[in-house]
Amino acid sequence: MSEAVAETVAARFSELYGAEPHGVWAAPGRVNLIGEHTDYNDGFVMPFALPHTAVAAVSRREDGVLRLHSADVDGGVSELRLDDLSPESDKNWTAYPAGVVWALREAGHAVTGADIHLSSTVPSGAGLSSSAALEVVVALALNDLFSLGLRGWQLARLCQRAENVYVGAPVGIMDQTASACCEQGHALFLDTRDLSQKQIPFDLAAEGMRLLVVDTQVKHSHSEGEYGKRRAGCEKGAALLGVTALRDIAYDDLDAALARLGDDEEVRRLVRHVVTEDERVERVVSLLESGDDTRAIGPILVEGHASLRDDFRISCPELDLVVDTALTSGALGARMTGGGFGGSAIVLAEETDVDAITKAVTEAFAAAGFKTPRVFEAVPSAGARRVR
């Protein structure tokens, strides 16, 4: 993120609130390389941060008032009383930053108010964690301004609670942790059970490759409907198998576990995806750490897409078209990424094939009558930080 962006956000804050902000912070969106719908099953994930960020200019208040403004939403400044904040009371964008304040205060942290102006370049509804970036940037700013002393993983936990309880969306811990903890030039191998982390070097350019994000422009909503059903189904599977979470089913024991589930085909599919997806994450980590040709992860990405499409059943025609077209145009691997029901796909490609693949996908969307997709390169970037 450029210094000019920070200055622009700070200047707008001054216009809105009549004084310079006490600071400016940034938190990125993320793309998930592998490990989808495993986070709320205590499993493994491997995201990395994008260069796209939510930026917040913030000043501390002492009067129990929270004032919020977004450059990305029509409307003026919203003013809330901290004592009035309550779960699921707000169905607007303001629920995300307000939920963070609520979660901090519920956890016993003495946050007494703030003026906040937000601006984001993370595409909304694209499966790239725009809401998590918004939450984490607010949490980090308040952590600094109120000297709370919380670490990145602790902020992530509080942001997840804000989204689960205050907003009412049953998300896992991956998105917030990625935004708070990722490092530039690395993918984050995260065990979502204990939040242990390992930064894995991930420099595709050095090997002549690129990872593309293809935003299908199909919007999703995780706070209602099918996402919640998948999570409930996974919890049902764990209960039927007598384990705390599906993470506890070893890959080698999968067939026996599926047999124990009998004829409950829906739960069998969900369990199969989660257990095999955890194994795919471990395979990708092993390949990247071995120093072997990173191209070998391509087929694993394709396996992951098939599992999300056929077992978890959260793909859509646009996502399938991206994957199929990219692969027939020479891509090394491709899969949907994010929560599903729209959003984005990732494409692993040789640098020399990027233009041809982008052209083929764009033309395929036009031929199918779909909205023109947005295609950009995903470069592993820095996690949340203070920028001014």
Side-chain angles (χ1 to χ4, degrees):
M1 192 202 74
S2 69
E3 178 65 26
V5 172
E7 290 297 331
T8 298
V9 173
R12 181 62 176 135
F13 178 99
S14 298
E15 293 173 4
L16 290 164
Y17 299 118
E20 283 280 312
H22 293 157
V24 180
W25 291 260
R30 66 95 189 99
V31 67
N32 194 23
L33 182 62
I34 193 74
E36 220 64 79
H37 287 269
T38 51
D39 60 345
Y40 54 79
N41 289 290
D42 283 1
F44 305 123
V45 295
M46 199 173 188
F48 62 86
L50 292 168
H52 306 73
T53 59
V55 182
V58 186
S59 284
R60 173 174 171 156
R61 296 179 67 100
E62 308 292 342
D63 59 357
V65 171
L66 175 65
R67 295 197 293 181
L68 300 166
H69 184 269
S70 172
D72 309 306
V73 179
D74 291 337
V77 173
S78 297
E79 183 170 315
L80 305 170
R81 297 287 310 179
L82 300 191
D83 290 343
D84 295 336
L85 300 181
S86 61
E88 299 194 58
S89 60
D90 186 350
K91 299 302 180 182
N92 299 309
W93 72 270
T94 49
Y96 294 94
V100 170
V101 175
W102 171 84
L104 286 166
R105 285 165 56 85
E106 282 289 297
H109 300 293
V111 176
T112 56
D115 288 337
I116 302 174
H117 169 60
L118 292 149
S119 180
S120 180
T121 58
V122 185
S124 176
L128 303 174
S129 301
S130 58
S131 60
L134 192 66
E135 293 156 0
V136 169
V137 75
V138 170
L140 180 61
L142 297 176
N143 184 55
D144 288 353
L145 289 176
F146 289 93
S147 302
L148 303 181
L150 299 171
R151 299 176 63 185
W153 67 268
Q154 293 172 305
L155 294 175
R157 280 286 193 209
L158 287 165
C159 289
Q160 182 199 20
R161 177 167 169 75
E163 193 156 352
N164 287 171
V165 180
Y166 196 93
V167 178
V171 299
I173 191 63
M174 175 182 66
D175 296 352
Q176 291 84 0
T177 306
S179 186
C181 301
C182 278
E183 294 181 4
Q184 187 169 348
H186 294 75
L188 178 68
F189 177 37
L190 174 67
D191 182 335
T192 64
R193 169 161 283 171
D194 61 12
L195 294 192
S196 59
Q197 305 174 18
K198 190 171 186 179
Q199 301 288 344
I200 308 294
F202 192 55
D203 185 2
L204 293 176
E207 298 183 60
M209 289 178 288
R210 296 289 187 269
L211 190 76
L212 303 178
V213 173
V214 182
D215 176 4
T216 64
Q217 308 275 2
V218 177
K219 304 300 182 184
H220 60 70
S221 175
H222 283 173
S223 60
E224 57 188 351
E226 297 299 320
Y227 183 97
K229 291 179 183 178
R230 299 307 188 279
R231 181 164 186 165
C234 290
E235 291 169 352
K236 178 182 178 181
L240 290 171
L241 292 169
V243 294
T244 301
L246 294 182
R247 146 73 174 280
D248 297 311
I249 304 299
Y251 179 73
D252 290 343
D253 296 334
L254 176 59
D255 289 343
L258 294 177
R260 289 168 57 197
L261 291 171
D263 59 0
D264 193 334
E265 185 57 31
E266 181 178 358
V267 172
R268 283 165 55 89
R269 287 190 286 99
L270 298 178
V271 170
R272 183 166 52 231
H273 167 72
V274 172
V275 175
T276 58
E277 186 79 346
D278 273 335
E279 190 269 344
R280 281 186 284 273
V281 176
E282 293 184 294
R283 269 194 284 155
V284 169
V285 171
S286 179
L287 283 167
L288 292 179
E289 289 191 317
S290 72
D292 293 339
D293 192 341
T294 304
R295 288 165 178 81
I297 72 173
I300 304 175
L301 303 183
V302 179
E303 287 177 29
H305 183 76
S307 182
L308 290 161
R309 181 192 64 211
D310 301 335
D311 276 342
F312 230 66
R313 299 189 180 182
I314 57 170
S315 189
C316 65
E318 292 86 351
L319 288 168
D320 292 340
L321 184 59
V322 174
V323 172
D324 293 343
T325 304
L327 293 174
T328 58
S329 301
L332 299 164
R335 73 171 189 90
M336 61 154 286
T337 187
F341 315 109
S344 298
I346 56 173
V347 177
L348 180 67
E350 301 286 359
E351 182 178 4
T352 53
D353 292 336
V354 165
D355 289 345
I357 291 170
T358 301
K359 182 173 183 289
V361 169
T362 302
E363 290 177 347
F365 267 55
F370 296 151
K371 188 174 181 179
T372 303
R374 179 184 181 214
V375 185
F376 59 91
E377 183 182 352
V379 180
S381 301
R385 67 274 188 196
R386 186 168 187 164
V387 296
R388 185 177 183 274

